[in-house]
Amino acid sequence: MSAPNFAPNSQRLTVVQLLPALDAGGVERGTLEVAAALVERNHRSIVISRGGRLLKPLLDQGSEHITLPVGEKSLRSLLCRRRLRELFTAESVQVVHARSRLPAWLAYSALRPMSAAVRPSFVTTIHGFYSVNRYSAIMTRGDQVTAVSESAKRYVEQNYPGADAAAIEVIQRGVDTGLYRPGVVPPAGWLADWFASFPQLRGKQVITLPGRITRLKGHRAFIRVIARLRRQGKDVAGLIVGGEDPRRRGYAEALRATVAEQQLGQHVLFTENRDDLRYVLAMSDVVLSLSEKPEAFGRTVLEALSLGIPVVGYAHGGVAEVLAQMFPAGGVGVGDEAAVAEKIAWVLRERPQPVAENPFKLSTSLSREIAMYERLHARHTTQASAAA
């Protein structure tokens, strides 16, 4: 990611972001983007998690990392509260930003005993449509609550009437338009490796479903759609791009068994996690979004459309918002697999293009996020001075 060029900042903040882990996913990648922007803005960026495959890129950007089990549902995580409070004090933290529910509870309970004069501002982000209960309600208790889409904000307002609507700000995700733009072509070396790994894709029309292999992402529907298209004589190959949930390996194994039973082994391929998703999307003819539950935003939908690749997806949640602005023709009713297949066939035949002007720019998203941190600190400073 290339961070935006911010103007120099005289008031240096220390901002802590908490999330369970630094593995693949939209929340994790968004955390790295904000961390890079903080460093670019001359702020201090600290991330707390159990680590993961994105730890090295985070450190390479200039951020710091503290390894704690803040996403682990065990007694070990409860012991983190005192450690967090000590850290917030020792490092003179101004803003604590929780991006998941358990880290939010731990941070909130660590912050509560601190005096108002030194207590950091508490920020939460609604990254998903969480189950409606007291456990999830913590995500509405930030001094500032951000939502990644209008749909996410409406979900909070409809299900948590006690939440302060005035404290909720929509900051939609964005992409680096220097990297995600129409016409991106993978390097020759990458292409050679790609076709060496997946020779079945050569000469095929590639339909891609990105996302971790979990039950809600619509992988079974994807397999049925590919089977339907092939029965119709379409020379397509399906690509499932994403890693397995280690706690639910049985589901991934069941998907592979289904592919084998339907004799689709040469036509539905699994890639595991990849760090080159941009190139994989660019090599696709159509990208799908088949999540059975609405996504709060739909980062991979935006990334594909930004590359000029049409997306066909269930038109609900944040995905519907992105499609409405960039490729309205790609939306279909939730669960309508026949319509998905028909829409894919239309895209392959007519080759429609997403809108050229991308309204979801990473530079805009990050500028608003950093401005929010700075605004919170300025307000806290003013309140502390008035109380002194």
Side-chain angles (χ1 to χ4, degrees), residues 174-196:
V175 295
D176 183 337
T177 52
L179 294 175
Y180 290 88
R181 53 180 171 72
V184 167
V185 177
W190 185 94
L191 289 170
D193 291 342
W194 178 249
F195 286 118

Side-chain angles (χ1 to χ4, degrees), residues 70-88:
V70 292
E72 187 178 297
K73 294 180 180 178
S74 70
L75 289 175
R76 280 209 323 146
S77 68
L78 295 178
L79 298 176
C80 291
R81 292 178 294 182
R82 180 176 178 180
R83 174 75 179 93
L84 289 173
R85 186 159 53 249
E86 292 172 347
L87 184 148
F88 297 156

Side-chain angles (χ1 to χ4, degrees), residues 89-363:
T89 301
E91 302 299 333
S92 300
V93 174
Q94 282 87 22
V95 179
V96 172
H97 190 163
R99 296 186 174 275
S100 184
R101 289 174 291 179
L102 182 53
W105 274 112
L106 294 173
Y108 180 74
S109 59
L111 290 168
R112 286 188 67 187
M114 298 177 68
S115 69
V118 298
R119 183 190 305 128
S121 297
F122 182 47
V123 178
T124 58
T125 293
I126 307 296
H127 284 286
F129 297 110
Y130 309 114
S131 53
V132 180
N133 50 42
R134 290 183 63 188
Y135 178 60
S136 300
I138 187 62
M139 302 307 288
T140 71
R141 293 187 185 176
D143 301 312
Q144 175 72 60
V145 178
T146 66
V148 297
S149 64
E150 294 291 346
S151 298
K153 180 181 180 181
R154 284 196 299 272
Y155 186 81
V156 172
E157 292 173 340
Q158 291 167 2
N159 291 285
Y160 295 94
D164 181 4
I168 304 174
E169 179 180 2
V170 175
I171 303 180
Q172 294 172 314
R173 304 297 85 185
V175 295
D176 183 337
T177 52
L179 294 175
Y180 290 88
R181 53 180 171 72
V184 167
V185 177
W190 185 94
L191 289 170
D193 291 342
W194 178 249
F195 286 118
S197 299
F198 304 103
Q200 306 95 322
L201 299 179
R202 195 179 292 276
K204 296 289 180 65
Q205 294 175 309
V206 179
I207 316 300
T208 298
L209 181 69
R212 281 178 283 198
I213 299 180
T214 64
R215 293 184 183 277
L216 298 179
K217 292 293 186 179
H219 295 93
R220 292 191 182 279
F222 178 74
I223 294 168
R224 290 191 292 267
V225 166
I226 297 299
R228 180 190 293 260
L229 288 168
R230 292 199 61 80
R231 288 196 300 270
Q232 295 172 355
K234 306 294 190 299
D235 191 17
V236 299
L239 201 59
I240 293 175
V241 185
E244 301 176 6
D245 184 337
R247 299 166 298 177
R248 297 176 175 83
R249 295 191 185 279
Y251 174 66
E253 291 170 1
L255 290 178
R256 290 186 169 88
T258 299
V259 168
E261 289 166 6
Q262 297 192 23
Q263 299 183 331
L264 291 171
Q266 295 299 304
H267 309 297
V268 175
L269 309 176
F270 296 77
T271 75
E272 306 298 338
N273 272 326
R274 297 191 66 99
D275 295 323
D276 54 359
L277 181 60
R278 179 169 66 112
Y279 289 153
V280 176
L281 295 176
M283 287 293 294
S284 304
D285 292 279
V286 186
V287 171
L288 302 188
S289 175
L290 303 178
S291 296
E292 298 168 10
K293 290 182 65 176
E295 302 270 7
F297 184 70
R299 174 185 283 265
T300 54
V301 169
L302 172 59
E303 290 175 342
L305 292 170
S306 300
L307 290 166
I309 307 303
V311 173
V312 175
Y314 294 155
H316 59 167
V319 170
E321 293 180 33
V322 176
L323 285 172
Q325 294 199 52
M326 296 192 69
F327 193 62
V332 300
V334 178
D336 193 342
E337 294 173 20
V340 171
E342 290 173 11
K343 191 74 71 171
I344 292 171
W346 171 76
V347 169
L348 295 176
R349 183 176 64 252
E350 301 297 332
R351 298 292 177 179
Q353 294 296 303
V355 299
E357 179 59 31
N358 190 339
F360 299 96
K361 293 180 173 62
L362 179 61
S363 57

